[in-house]
Amino acid sequence: MENTCPLNYGLEIFGDRWSLLVIRDIAFWGKKTYGEFLSSNERPATNILAGRLARLEKNGFIVKRTDEKDKRKEIYSLTEKGLDLIPMLMEIGAWSAKYDPRQPEEFKQFVTMVRADQQRLTAHFIDKVRNGGAIFADAVGRQSTDS
Amino acid sequence: MENTCPLNYGLEIFGDRWSLLVIRDIAFWGKKTYGEFLSSNERPATNILAGRLARLEKNGFIVKRTDEKDKRKEIYSLTEKGLDLIPMLMEIGAWSAKYDPRQPEEFKQFVTMVRADQQRLTAHFIDKVRNGGAIFADAVGRQSTDS
DNA sequence: ACAGGTTACTTGCAAAGTGCAAGTATTTTT
DNA sequence: AAAAATACTTGCACTTTGCAAGTAACCTGT
């Protein structure tokens, strides 16, 4: 396995639509059980959902415990490692708020509020790339080209 | 197709490892050609890379133009829509810097610098979810459960 | 101007992953 | 005790992936 640089590590584990949607359901909608994840608008297949929950748990993004009040239910929740994905999820949401025509005005306002805090630096980096530069140019050592 | 809520829209198009790695290569490493993307550490298959480039172009994340100095080459670059993914990529990078043991110290420092700017609000949301709440609780209308 | 290399792809095919439908096991409800 | 609910698993057709090998256009050196 060959995982050298910035984004790749995470992408192999959580960089898949269904995994991220599970984490979204927990963080953004407060969902906690298999049945709740299943009934999301995107309707994952049961076996896929089960597989993703198992992988997310194995990789330490979520934990499950049996609901004491109803032992048929498993309660899933985010670990610290999973909670730390929230800033990334919010950026995906911010992007969607801007480009998805179906996003409700409500959500766009929420994003605007969040964004007020953090525009400065990222705007600088976007400019850099727009002008043909790269974020890591001169900031971090150049990536190796060989295997 | 059923694309109602916050993150789903983008995830269907760019929410795939190879697509994001292409965008990373352009934004973070300044890569511009098919050959440069191919020689990344993660070594995508040639057909997969070609397919992703075509899809990213079709969906307006990148554009290609023939290199005037060497007409064998196609120069890929990010559109505004693609540039706007940079904040999200930086958050993925920030997460990786924290959890990927292979990340160099150099990169962790870069991330710390970036983060100094934007910690406040996201920390608040993480707390909310950690305590069993959800980011959208009372902030945005509750998601519909039916199809 | 021709030969050989470079670049950006495409094609064929086996293996892996996805998604629907149906089933099972445990627990709760009636 | 029977029925419903919940969290899964299993079987199977279909799709996607990834390796290996090709092809077409262009450039480079002689």
Side-chain angles (χ1 to χ4, degrees):
Chain A
M1 201 123 320
E2 174 70 49
N3 256 343
T4 326
C5 267
L7 317 185
N8 193 46
Y9 175 68
L11 292 182
E12 289 202 336
I13 311 170
F14 63 73
D16 134 81
R17 187 169 166 244
W18 296 121
S19 298
L20 285 174
L21 289 177
V22 165
I23 295 171
R24 172 205 68 175
D25 279 345
I26 300 177
F28 284 68
W29 300 116
K31 295 184 179 181
K32 292 171 169 47
T33 66
Y34 181 90
E36 287 176 325
F37 302 140
L38 253 194
S39 69
S40 76
N41 287 347
E42 297 84 10
R43 306 250 170 219
T46 56
N47 54 346
I48 304 295
L49 175 60
R52 292 303 190 283
L53 287 170
R55 194 168 73 192
L56 287 170
E57 189 183 17
K58 178 181 153 207
N59 286 297
F61 291 90
I62 60 180
V63 285
K64 81 172 164 182
R65 60 175 203 283
T66 305
D67 185 347
E68 281 311 310
K69 289 159 192 158
D70 182 345
K71 287 181 179 151
R72 290 170 305 180
K73 292 186 181 174
E74 302 284 347
I75 307 278
Y76 290 91
S77 59
L78 294 168
T79 60
E80 283 302 313
K81 192 174 177 180
L83 288 164
D84 276 335
L85 291 173
I86 289 176
M88 179 200 70
L89 292 177
M90 299 213 300
E91 290 299 341
I92 300 177
W95 185 92
S96 296
K98 185 165 180 181
Y99 289 100
D100 182 353
R102 277 169 285 196
Q103 289 301 324
E105 193 53 38
E106 241 178 340
F107 181 60
K108 291 189 179 183
Q109 285 167 11
F110 173 80
V111 164
T112 302
M113 179 190 86
V114 171
R115 266 297 169 79
D117 209 53
Q118 54 182 260
Q119 293 240 315
R120 286 155 275 281
L121 248 185
T122 56
H124 169 67
F125 288 126
I126 288 179
D127 267 353
K128 210 166 177 179
V129 176
R130 180 187 288 116
N131 298 326
I135 293 171
F136 285 167
D138 311 317
V140 174
R142 182 83 189 170
Q143 189 185 35
S144 71
T145 295
D146 48 37
S147 81
Chain B
M1 203 119 321
E2 176 69 50
N3 256 342
T4 327
C5 267
L7 316 185
N8 193 46
Y9 176 68
L11 292 182
E12 288 202 337
I13 312 169
F14 63 73
D16 134 81
R17 187 168 166 244
W18 296 121
S19 298
L20 285 174
L21 290 177
V22 164
I23 295 171
R24 171 205 68 176
D25 280 346
I26 300 176
F28 284 68
W29 300 116
K31 295 184 178 180
K32 292 170 171 46
T33 65
Y34 182 90
E36 286 175 325
F37 302 139
L38 252 194
S39 69
S40 76
N41 288 347
E42 297 85 9
R43 306 247 171 223
T46 57
N47 53 346
I48 305 295
L49 176 59
R52 292 303 191 281
L53 287 171
R55 195 169 72 191
L56 286 170
E57 190 184 14
K58 177 182 155 210
N59 286 298
F61 291 90
I62 60 179
V63 285
K64 81 173 165 182
R65 59 176 205 281
T66 305
D67 185 349
E68 282 310 310
K69 288 158 191 157
D70 182 346
K71 288 181 179 152
R72 290 171 304 179
K73 292 186 182 175
E74 301 286 347
I75 307 278
Y76 291 90
S77 59
L78 294 168
T79 60
E80 283 302 312
K81 192 173 176 180
L83 288 165
D84 276 335
L85 291 173
I86 289 176
M88 179 200 69
L89 293 177
M90 299 212 300
E91 289 298 341
I92 300 177
W95 186 92
S96 295
K98 186 166 179 181
Y99 289 100
D100 182 353
R102 277 168 284 196
Q103 290 301 324
E105 193 53 39
E106 240 176 343
F107 180 60
K108 292 189 179 185
Q109 285 167 14
F110 173 79
V111 164
T112 302
M113 179 189 85
V114 171
R115 267 297 170 80
D117 209 54
Q118 56 181 258
Q119 292 241 318
R120 286 156 275 281
L121 247 185
T122 56
H124 169 66
F125 288 125
I126 287 179
D127 267 352
K128 209 166 178 180
V129 176
R130 181 187 288 117
N131 299 326
I135 293 170
F136 284 167
D138 312 318
V140 173
R142 183 82 188 171
Q143 190 185 34
S144 69
T145 296
D146 50 37
S147 80

